[in-house]
Amino acid sequence: MNRFVTANPSKCIGCRTCEVACALAHSDGAGVEGLAPETFKPRIRMVKTANVSTAVMCHHCEDAPCVNACPNNAIVYRQHSVQVEQERCLGCKNCVLACPFGAMDVVTIPAVRQFAGMTLSLGVKAQAHKCDLCVGRDAGPACVSVCPTSALTLMDRDAMDETLRRRRERAALEAAEVAA
């Protein structure tokens, strides 16, 4: 089973702390100073309506449409999640069209190459952009660890089993109350 982050709209206050944490976790150590409007590219999005707010991010699907849609096999299953191998990404946007959750995006980044000790600018490169569950971060997804209301939860097999156990227990108690 792939791991994924769930969002509980009843707990979400729409503060966007998850977006900031995500952008910082992927800023290559640039810190807060590196978060300019042109570089603020979180892999999680806050969606707000008049009555509810919640985070939207990649579901790391078991049979991911984005994996199937990628013509260059740049989107792969790795570490119990769906990951993008950026060096293979063409920026074609097939994954964006295939994602049923609107969690995929294509962003442009500066394209540079090292040559003879110099950094050469090659313009920009388009690449797929999605939640990677902060796989290189020991503490797990940054969005989950900073959410002030615990609206975000990392789900794995154990967490899923526990959630299902609690729901079944609650349903059994409710059924017993109705029968009594």
Short mmCIF file of all heavy atoms in Angstrom, two decimals, residues 92-137:
data_model
loop_
_atom_site.label_atom_id
_atom_site.label_comp_id
_atom_site.label_asym_id
_atom_site.label_seq_id
_atom_site.Cartn_x
_atom_site.Cartn_y
_atom_site.Cartn_z
N CYS A 92 5.58 17.66 -20.31
CA CYS A 92 4.53 17.56 -21.34
C CYS A 92 3.11 17.82 -20.82
O CYS A 92 2.19 18.02 -21.60
CB CYS A 92 4.60 16.20 -22.02
SG CYS A 92 4.12 14.83 -20.94
N LYS A 93 2.91 17.73 -19.51
CA LYS A 93 1.63 17.98 -18.85
C LYS A 93 0.61 16.85 -18.99
O LYS A 93 -0.54 17.00 -18.61
CB LYS A 93 1.00 19.30 -19.30
CG LYS A 93 1.87 20.51 -19.05
CD LYS A 93 1.21 21.78 -19.53
CE LYS A 93 2.12 22.97 -19.37
NZ LYS A 93 3.13 23.08 -20.41
N ASN A 94 1.00 15.70 -19.52
CA ASN A 94 0.08 14.56 -19.58
C ASN A 94 -0.37 14.16 -18.18
O ASN A 94 -1.52 13.80 -17.97
CB ASN A 94 0.73 13.36 -20.27
CG ASN A 94 0.76 13.49 -21.77
OD1 ASN A 94 0.20 14.42 -22.33
ND2 ASN A 94 1.42 12.56 -22.42
N CYS A 95 0.55 14.22 -17.22
CA CYS A 95 0.22 13.86 -15.84
C CYS A 95 -0.81 14.80 -15.25
O CYS A 95 -1.70 14.39 -14.50
CB CYS A 95 1.48 13.84 -14.99
SG CYS A 95 2.42 15.37 -15.00
N VAL A 96 -0.72 16.08 -15.58
CA VAL A 96 -1.67 17.08 -15.08
C VAL A 96 -3.07 16.74 -15.57
O VAL A 96 -4.04 16.78 -14.81
CB VAL A 96 -1.27 18.50 -15.54
CG1 VAL A 96 -2.32 19.52 -15.14
CG2 VAL A 96 0.09 18.87 -14.96
N LEU A 97 -3.18 16.39 -16.84
CA LEU A 97 -4.48 16.05 -17.41
C LEU A 97 -5.02 14.74 -16.85
O LEU A 97 -6.23 14.57 -16.71
CB LEU A 97 -4.36 15.94 -18.94
CG LEU A 97 -4.01 17.25 -19.65
CD1 LEU A 97 -3.73 16.99 -21.13
CD2 LEU A 97 -5.10 18.27 -19.48
N ALA A 98 -4.13 13.81 -16.52
CA ALA A 98 -4.56 12.49 -16.04
C ALA A 98 -4.97 12.47 -14.58
O ALA A 98 -5.78 11.63 -14.18
CB ALA A 98 -3.43 11.48 -16.27
N CYS A 99 -4.45 13.37 -13.77
CA CYS A 99 -4.71 13.34 -12.32
C CYS A 99 -6.16 13.70 -12.02
O CYS A 99 -6.60 14.82 -12.29
CB CYS A 99 -3.78 14.29 -11.58
SG CYS A 99 -4.08 14.30 -9.79
N PRO A 100 -6.92 12.77 -11.41
CA PRO A 100 -8.33 13.05 -11.11
C PRO A 100 -8.52 14.00 -9.93
O PRO A 100 -9.63 14.46 -9.70
CB PRO A 100 -8.90 11.67 -10.80
CG PRO A 100 -7.73 10.88 -10.30
CD PRO A 100 -6.53 11.41 -11.05
N PHE A 101 -7.46 14.31 -9.20
CA PHE A 101 -7.57 15.15 -8.01
C PHE A 101 -7.03 16.55 -8.22
O PHE A 101 -7.08 17.37 -7.31
CB PHE A 101 -6.84 14.49 -6.83
CG PHE A 101 -7.36 13.12 -6.54
CD1 PHE A 101 -6.64 12.00 -6.90
CD2 PHE A 101 -8.60 12.94 -5.94
CE1 PHE A 101 -7.13 10.73 -6.65
CE2 PHE A 101 -9.09 11.69 -5.68
CZ PHE A 101 -8.36 10.57 -6.05
N GLY A 102 -6.49 16.83 -9.39
CA GLY A 102 -5.91 18.14 -9.65
C GLY A 102 -4.68 18.41 -8.81
O GLY A 102 -4.36 19.55 -8.50
N ALA A 103 -3.98 17.34 -8.42
CA ALA A 103 -2.83 17.46 -7.53
C ALA A 103 -1.51 17.59 -8.28
O ALA A 103 -0.49 17.86 -7.66
CB ALA A 103 -2.77 16.25 -6.60
N MET A 104 -1.52 17.41 -9.58
CA MET A 104 -0.30 17.53 -10.38
C MET A 104 -0.23 18.93 -10.96
O MET A 104 -1.25 19.55 -11.24
CB MET A 104 -0.29 16.53 -11.54
CG MET A 104 -0.18 15.10 -11.14
SD MET A 104 1.40 14.61 -10.49
CE MET A 104 2.51 14.96 -11.82
N ASP A 105 0.97 19.40 -11.14
CA ASP A 105 1.21 20.71 -11.72
C ASP A 105 2.50 20.62 -12.52
O ASP A 105 3.30 19.71 -12.30
CB ASP A 105 1.34 21.73 -10.59
CG ASP A 105 1.14 23.16 -11.04
OD1 ASP A 105 0.76 23.37 -12.20
OD2 ASP A 105 1.38 24.06 -10.22
N VAL A 106 2.69 21.52 -13.42
CA VAL A 106 3.97 21.63 -14.12
C VAL A 106 4.48 23.04 -13.86
O VAL A 106 3.76 24.01 -14.06
CB VAL A 106 3.85 21.35 -15.63
CG1 VAL A 106 5.14 21.68 -16.36
CG2 VAL A 106 3.49 19.88 -15.86
N VAL A 107 5.70 23.13 -13.36
CA VAL A 107 6.31 24.42 -13.05
C VAL A 107 7.57 24.59 -13.89
O VAL A 107 8.11 23.62 -14.42
CB VAL A 107 6.67 24.53 -11.55
CG1 VAL A 107 5.42 24.45 -10.69
CG2 VAL A 107 7.67 23.48 -11.13
N THR A 108 8.02 25.81 -14.00
CA THR A 108 9.27 26.06 -14.71
C THR A 108 10.34 26.43 -13.69
O THR A 108 10.08 27.12 -12.70
CB THR A 108 9.13 27.18 -15.74
OG1 THR A 108 8.64 28.35 -15.10
CG2 THR A 108 8.18 26.77 -16.86
N ILE A 109 11.51 25.92 -13.95
CA ILE A 109 12.67 26.19 -13.10
C ILE A 109 13.82 26.62 -14.00
O ILE A 109 13.83 26.29 -15.19
CB ILE A 109 13.08 24.97 -12.26
CG1 ILE A 109 13.45 23.79 -13.17
CG2 ILE A 109 11.97 24.57 -11.30
CD1 ILE A 109 14.22 22.71 -12.49
N PRO A 110 14.78 27.34 -13.46
CA PRO A 110 15.94 27.71 -14.29
C PRO A 110 16.70 26.45 -14.72
O PRO A 110 16.93 25.55 -13.92
CB PRO A 110 16.80 28.56 -13.35
CG PRO A 110 15.90 28.98 -12.26
CD PRO A 110 14.84 27.93 -12.13
N ALA A 111 17.02 26.38 -15.98
CA ALA A 111 17.82 25.27 -16.49
C ALA A 111 19.26 25.73 -16.57
O ALA A 111 19.58 26.70 -17.24
CB ALA A 111 17.31 24.85 -17.88
N VAL A 112 20.12 25.04 -15.83
CA VAL A 112 21.53 25.38 -15.82
C VAL A 112 22.37 24.14 -16.07
O VAL A 112 21.91 23.02 -15.84
CB VAL A 112 21.96 26.03 -14.47
CG1 VAL A 112 21.26 27.36 -14.27
CG2 VAL A 112 21.68 25.11 -13.31
N ARG A 113 23.56 24.34 -16.52
CA ARG A 113 24.48 23.23 -16.74
C ARG A 113 25.87 23.70 -16.33
O ARG A 113 26.26 24.82 -16.61
CB ARG A 113 24.46 22.80 -18.20
CG ARG A 113 25.51 21.72 -18.47
CD ARG A 113 25.19 20.80 -19.59
NE ARG A 113 24.06 19.95 -19.22
CZ ARG A 113 23.21 19.48 -20.10
NH1 ARG A 113 23.33 19.76 -21.36
NH2 ARG A 113 22.22 18.72 -19.73
N GLN A 114 26.59 22.81 -15.68
CA GLN A 114 27.97 23.10 -15.31
C GLN A 114 28.87 22.71 -16.48
O GLN A 114 28.75 21.62 -17.03
CB GLN A 114 28.37 22.30 -14.06
CG GLN A 114 27.58 22.64 -12.83
CD GLN A 114 27.86 24.05 -12.34
OE1 GLN A 114 28.97 24.54 -12.45
NE2 GLN A 114 26.83 24.69 -11.80
N PHE A 115 29.76 23.63 -16.86
CA PHE A 115 30.69 23.35 -17.95
C PHE A 115 32.00 24.06 -17.66
O PHE A 115 32.02 25.29 -17.49
CB PHE A 115 30.10 23.82 -19.29
CG PHE A 115 30.99 23.55 -20.47
CD1 PHE A 115 31.13 22.26 -20.96
CD2 PHE A 115 31.70 24.58 -21.07
CE1 PHE A 115 31.95 22.01 -22.04
CE2 PHE A 115 32.53 24.33 -22.14
CZ PHE A 115 32.65 23.04 -22.64
N ALA A 116 33.06 23.31 -17.59
CA ALA A 116 34.41 23.84 -17.37
C ALA A 116 34.46 24.77 -16.15
O ALA A 116 35.05 25.85 -16.19
CB ALA A 116 34.91 24.57 -18.61
N GLY A 117 33.78 24.33 -15.06
CA GLY A 117 33.81 25.11 -13.83
C GLY A 117 32.90 26.32 -13.83
O GLY A 117 32.90 27.10 -12.89
N MET A 118 32.12 26.51 -14.89
CA MET A 118 31.21 27.65 -14.97
C MET A 118 29.78 27.14 -14.98
O MET A 118 29.51 26.03 -15.44
CB MET A 118 31.46 28.47 -16.24
CG MET A 118 32.84 29.05 -16.31
SD MET A 118 33.16 30.11 -17.74
CE MET A 118 32.12 29.52 -19.01
N THR A 119 28.85 27.96 -14.48
CA THR A 119 27.43 27.64 -14.54
C THR A 119 26.83 28.39 -15.72
O THR A 119 26.87 29.62 -15.77
CB THR A 119 26.72 28.06 -13.24
OG1 THR A 119 27.35 27.38 -12.15
CG2 THR A 119 25.26 27.69 -13.28
N LEU A 120 26.28 27.62 -16.66
CA LEU A 120 25.68 28.22 -17.85
C LEU A 120 24.17 28.19 -17.73
O LEU A 120 23.59 27.16 -17.40
CB LEU A 120 26.10 27.45 -19.10
CG LEU A 120 27.61 27.33 -19.35
CD1 LEU A 120 27.87 26.41 -20.53
CD2 LEU A 120 28.19 28.70 -19.60
N SER A 121 23.53 29.30 -18.00
CA SER A 121 22.07 29.37 -17.98
C SER A 121 21.54 28.92 -19.34
O SER A 121 21.96 29.41 -20.38
CB SER A 121 21.61 30.80 -17.70
OG SER A 121 20.21 30.85 -17.77
N LEU A 122 20.61 27.97 -19.29
CA LEU A 122 20.01 27.44 -20.52
C LEU A 122 18.54 27.84 -20.65
O LEU A 122 17.78 27.20 -21.36
CB LEU A 122 20.13 25.91 -20.54
CG LEU A 122 21.54 25.35 -20.40
CD1 LEU A 122 21.51 23.84 -20.31
CD2 LEU A 122 22.41 25.79 -21.58
N GLY A 123 18.12 28.87 -19.93
CA GLY A 123 16.72 29.29 -19.96
C GLY A 123 15.95 28.63 -18.86
O GLY A 123 16.39 28.59 -17.72
N VAL A 124 14.78 28.08 -19.18
CA VAL A 124 13.95 27.43 -18.18
C VAL A 124 13.61 26.02 -18.63
O VAL A 124 13.62 25.71 -19.82
CB VAL A 124 12.65 28.22 -17.89
CG1 VAL A 124 12.96 29.55 -17.24
CG2 VAL A 124 11.82 28.39 -19.13
N LYS A 125 13.28 25.18 -17.66
CA LYS A 125 12.86 23.80 -17.93
C LYS A 125 11.54 23.57 -17.22
O LYS A 125 11.37 23.94 -16.06
CB LYS A 125 13.92 22.83 -17.40
CG LYS A 125 13.54 21.37 -17.57
CD LYS A 125 14.50 20.46 -16.84
CE LYS A 125 14.25 18.99 -16.99
NZ LYS A 125 12.96 18.48 -17.17
N ALA A 126 10.60 22.98 -17.92
CA ALA A 126 9.32 22.61 -17.31
C ALA A 126 9.47 21.23 -16.68
O ALA A 126 10.13 20.35 -17.24
CB ALA A 126 8.23 22.59 -18.36
N GLN A 127 8.88 21.06 -15.49
CA GLN A 127 8.94 19.76 -14.84
C GLN A 127 7.69 19.52 -14.01
O GLN A 127 7.07 20.45 -13.52
CB GLN A 127 10.18 19.63 -13.98
CG GLN A 127 10.25 20.56 -12.80
CD GLN A 127 11.54 20.38 -12.00
OE1 GLN A 127 12.55 19.96 -12.53
NE2 GLN A 127 11.48 20.70 -10.74
N ALA A 128 7.33 18.24 -13.86
CA ALA A 128 6.18 17.86 -13.05
C ALA A 128 6.43 18.22 -11.60
O ALA A 128 7.56 18.15 -11.11
CB ALA A 128 5.91 16.37 -13.20
N HIS A 129 5.36 18.61 -10.93
CA HIS A 129 5.46 19.11 -9.56
C HIS A 129 4.31 18.51 -8.76
O HIS A 129 3.14 18.75 -9.07
CB HIS A 129 5.34 20.64 -9.63
CG HIS A 129 5.68 21.36 -8.39
ND1 HIS A 129 6.94 21.42 -7.87
CD2 HIS A 129 4.91 22.10 -7.55
CE1 HIS A 129 6.94 22.15 -6.78
NE2 HIS A 129 5.71 22.57 -6.56
N LYS A 130 4.63 17.71 -7.76
CA LYS A 130 3.61 17.07 -6.94
C LYS A 130 4.18 16.71 -5.58
O LYS A 130 5.39 16.76 -5.38
CB LYS A 130 3.08 15.81 -7.61
CG LYS A 130 4.15 14.72 -7.80
CD LYS A 130 3.60 13.45 -8.36
CE LYS A 130 3.15 12.42 -7.39
NZ LYS A 130 3.71 12.30 -6.08
N CYS A 131 3.32 16.34 -4.67
CA CYS A 131 3.76 15.92 -3.34
C CYS A 131 4.68 14.71 -3.47
O CYS A 131 4.37 13.76 -4.18
CB CYS A 131 2.54 15.55 -2.49
SG CYS A 131 2.96 14.78 -0.92
N ASP A 132 5.81 14.78 -2.77
CA ASP A 132 6.73 13.64 -2.76
C ASP A 132 6.83 13.04 -1.36
O ASP A 132 7.72 12.24 -1.09
CB ASP A 132 8.10 14.06 -3.28
CG ASP A 132 8.77 15.13 -2.44
OD1 ASP A 132 8.17 15.57 -1.43
OD2 ASP A 132 9.88 15.54 -2.79
N LEU A 133 5.91 13.43 -0.48
CA LEU A 133 5.89 12.98 0.92
C LEU A 133 7.18 13.33 1.65
O LEU A 133 7.52 12.70 2.65
CB LEU A 133 5.60 11.48 1.03
CG LEU A 133 4.21 11.02 0.60
CD1 LEU A 133 4.08 9.51 0.69
CD2 LEU A 133 3.14 11.69 1.43
N CYS A 134 7.91 14.31 1.14
CA CYS A 134 9.18 14.74 1.75
C CYS A 134 10.07 13.52 2.02
O CYS A 134 10.61 13.36 3.12
CB CYS A 134 8.93 15.52 3.04
SG CYS A 134 8.03 17.08 2.81
N VAL A 135 10.24 12.66 1.01
CA VAL A 135 10.95 11.39 1.19
C VAL A 135 12.36 11.55 1.75
O VAL A 135 12.85 10.66 2.42
CB VAL A 135 10.98 10.54 -0.10
CG1 VAL A 135 9.62 10.03 -0.46
CG2 VAL A 135 11.62 11.30 -1.23
N GLY A 136 13.02 12.65 1.52
CA GLY A 136 14.36 12.83 2.06
C GLY A 136 14.38 13.42 3.46
O GLY A 136 15.44 13.62 4.05
N ARG A 137 13.22 13.68 4.01
CA ARG A 137 13.12 14.32 5.33
C ARG A 137 12.85 13.26 6.39
O ARG A 137 11.83 12.57 6.34
CB ARG A 137 11.99 15.35 5.29
CG ARG A 137 11.88 16.23 6.48
CD ARG A 137 10.84 17.34 6.21
NE ARG A 137 10.74 18.21 7.35
CZ ARG A 137 9.86 18.03 8.35
NH1 ARG A 137 8.99 17.05 8.30
NH2 ARG A 137 9.84 18.87 9.36
#
